[in-house]
Amino acid sequence: MRLIPCIKSYDEGVDHSKQIDREIKEWIKTYNEAIKLLLLGTGESGKTTIIKQMRILHIKGFSHSERMAMTTHIHFNTHEAIYEIIQNMPPLGIGLQNPKNVRAQEYLLKVGPEGPQEYNEEYFDNVRDLWQDGGVRECFKRSNEYQLIDSAEYFLDRIDLIGKEDYVPSDADILRCRRKTTGIQKIEFKVKVPKSVHGGIQEFWMFDVGGQRGERKKWIQVFEGIHAIWFVVACSDFDQTLREDNSQNRLKEALILFEDVWQSRFLLEAGLIVFLNKQDLLETKIKQGRSIAPYFPKYNHFEAPGDEYTRTKLFIRSLFANLTNKKRERREVIASAERFVVLEASRARECYFHFTTATDTDNVRTVFRDVHQMILTHILSNIGVY
């Protein structure tokens, strides 16, 4: 009787499953070793700009194809800017100062809010003529009374460059390009660790989530395992309202949201760093004679050294700092799409503040270096090394 040796048959499905298991284990190992940062804040606070800065500083920036892909969005930002301005001129009682520009105004209004099918020479000539009109400039100065992207002036001032057929967006252009963030975005990068905290290379994972009210219900999906929260505040928004709710002041919304984040038991172990952002735009507004006092009357009694801009930025910092000092009381909070606190945390925490301009790469580089050291120290302290 002949014996046939037993040979184990190859099962492609089993082998594929084992490969997936190995990849999952490797991913979990990397996940556990990486420092995870979560960017939070209201819509248009500058979170996505910081993500872009991390790419410039730590991941070789943007390729030529990526730059060319951004052209479409920059063209639309430019159109969105001029269209919103001329559309809001009649409600504000502002007319064109040059009658010759009526045709250009009619042309752009006919194009509509979605922009032209083709961004051609005729289109850019009309935009250029309108942007030079005194009435359009007057309406732009009152942009806090309607919804206008922060980069409107930046792109409209560069209409000659943006309108060229061979236009390639620069880093500065990409940093100012606005696209609404939906869902959860993530980038990974590596940074050298200072010798003062044992040296080596540290991997970072940074998450960006949409800041509009309808997006906040997704935030809780990325809370687990987060080492540090970067809460981004658009300080220049003190006199503006939300896109999604014209009755709510943007800075007041940021304060409500910050209090939820500060009190959340889901984020108790995470370090909290507040980026008081858009300092360049805040300083410009103050120099133009705008004041935070009509929107926050307590400013009239706020005492601090320095000029009006310095006092304003210190006042805004105090608004957030005061929330961290409020007496904590355990209370039930009604959960909703906009609020994710279930029970307040009761453990003492620290909060750090930085004045930032997210579109300024040198500023972000300096702040990130300080924050990097702070995060590492916070983590080492939690595990008992410091």
Side-chain angles (χ1 to χ4, degrees):
M1 181 178 178
R2 185 181 177 189
L3 297 175
I4 300 175
C6 180
I7 301 175
K8 187 177 182 180
S9 63
Y10 172 72
D11 189 325
E12 185 177 352
V14 171
D15 187 69
H16 182 63
S17 178
K18 288 182 178 179
Q19 176 64 25
I20 292 175
D21 288 343
R22 285 193 293 270
E23 290 177 0
I24 290 173
K25 286 180 181 179
E26 185 62 31
W27 184 89
I28 291 173
K29 180 183 177 183
T30 305
Y31 177 86
N32 289 334
E33 291 175 351
I35 289 179
K36 290 166 284 295
L37 310 174
L38 177 59
L39 293 165
L40 296 180
T42 57
E44 300 180 66
S45 58
K47 302 185 299 299
T48 304
T49 307
I50 290 175
I51 285 274
K52 293 175 185 175
Q53 289 284 22
M54 294 302 106
R55 288 198 60 178
I56 292 170
L57 292 171
H58 304 296
I59 323 179
K60 299 181 180 179
F62 301 92
S63 67
H64 181 75
S65 60
E66 287 172 325
R67 291 180 188 277
M68 296 310 297
M70 293 299 292
T71 302
T72 301
H73 303 295
I74 290 172
H75 282 166
F76 179 71
N77 279 175
T78 305
H79 176 74
E80 180 185 9
I82 194 67
Y83 183 82
E84 286 299 325
I85 293 172
I86 62 174
Q87 187 186 40
N88 281 280
M89 291 176 72
L92 295 177
I94 301 171
L96 293 169
Q97 289 188 7
N98 187 346
K100 293 181 180 180
N101 291 329
V102 171
R103 189 194 65 79
Q105 185 183 43
E106 291 173 346
Y107 169 87
L108 281 165
L109 289 172
K110 186 177 179 181
V111 166
E114 299 304 316
Q117 291 184 342
E118 180 186 0
Y119 287 88
N120 53 28
E121 186 176 354
E122 180 187 16
Y123 171 83
F124 287 113
D125 284 345
N126 283 306
V127 173
R128 185 183 301 106
D129 290 343
L130 283 170
W131 183 232
Q132 293 172 352
D133 189 277
V136 171
R137 294 290 181 135
E138 183 184 346
C139 188
F140 166 72
K141 290 178 182 178
R142 294 175 61 182
S143 60
N144 66 303
E145 298 178 47
Y146 55 96
Q147 301 297 335
L148 186 68
I149 57 174
D150 288 332
S151 55
E153 183 177 26
Y154 177 87
F155 287 132
L156 290 170
D157 280 347
R158 288 159 178 76
I159 194 67
D160 290 336
L161 177 63
I162 293 170
K164 290 182 177 180
E165 289 186 7
D166 59 351
Y167 167 63
V168 178
S170 65
D171 282 349
D173 297 342
I174 292 172
L175 287 170
R176 288 166 176 81
C177 179
R178 180 185 178 271
R179 294 173 64 190
K180 180 181 176 181
T181 301
T182 56
I184 301 167
Q185 315 294 325
K186 185 193 79 168
I187 64 165
E188 302 175 20
F189 56 93
K190 294 180 180 180
V191 179
K192 288 184 179 180
V193 177
K195 291 183 179 180
S196 59
V197 279
H198 310 297
I201 300 292
Q202 177 64 58
E203 184 163 5
F204 283 82
W205 287 12
M206 181 175 282
F207 298 89
D208 175 26
V209 289
Q212 278 80 13
R213 287 177 173 179
E215 293 292 317
R216 295 175 200 167
K217 57 178 176 286
K218 303 172 186 175
W219 288 11
I220 201 167
Q221 298 174 35
V222 289
F223 282 173
E224 187 175 356
I226 292 296
H227 294 99
I229 304 292
W230 290 13
F231 192 90
V232 187
V233 180
C235 292
S236 59
D237 285 358
F238 67 82
D239 60 350
Q240 295 173 245
T241 59
L242 298 177
R243 283 184 184 271
E244 60 268 39
D245 180 1
N246 280 325
S247 68
Q248 175 65 318
N249 178 280
R250 291 192 183 192
L251 186 55
K252 290 178 181 178
E253 177 83 355
L255 287 161
I256 293 169
L257 189 57
F258 174 75
E259 186 171 13
D260 277 0
V261 171
W262 177 253
Q263 294 175 344
S264 174
R265 65 186 178 92
F266 298 112
L267 301 171
L268 185 58
E269 300 301 324
L272 188 52
I273 301 149
V274 178
F275 282 37
L276 297 166
N277 196 33
K278 301 192 179 181
Q279 290 298 312
D280 56 335
L281 300 179
L282 174 64
E283 186 172 14
T284 298
K285 278 190 175 182
I286 300 304
K287 286 181 177 178
Q288 291 172 346
R290 302 189 200 180
S291 173
I292 197 172
Y295 309 92
F296 294 83
K298 289 183 179 179
Y299 178 72
N300 291 317
H301 308 289
F302 180 74
E303 295 183 3
D307 57 17
E308 194 67 12
Y309 160 64
T310 302
R311 288 184 63 239
T312 301
K313 75 175 187 178
L314 292 176
F315 172 73
I316 293 173
R317 183 180 67 179
S318 74
L319 293 175
F320 289 88
N322 289 343
L323 291 176
T324 68
N325 295 323
K326 283 180 64 175
K327 183 179 179 181
R328 298 176 181 275
E329 297 177 358
R330 294 185 67 85
R331 57 183 174 85
E332 295 289 343
V333 180
I334 299 173
S336 70
E338 290 79 42
R339 306 196 71 185
F340 48 82
V341 178
V342 177
L343 286 174
E344 288 189 350
S346 56
R347 176 178 158 188
R349 303 173 68 189
E350 283 188 285
C351 185
Y352 303 91
F353 295 88
H354 284 271
F355 296 107
T356 61
T357 297
T359 53
D360 183 338
T361 301
D362 289 335
N363 174 252
V364 173
R365 179 188 290 111
T366 300
V367 171
F368 181 77
R369 186 167 56 242
D370 294 342
V371 168
H372 179 204
Q373 175 91 24
M374 190 185 307
I375 292 168
L376 291 172
T377 302
H378 175 81
I379 292 171
L380 293 172
S381 176
N382 277 354
I383 62 176
V385 175
Y386 266 48

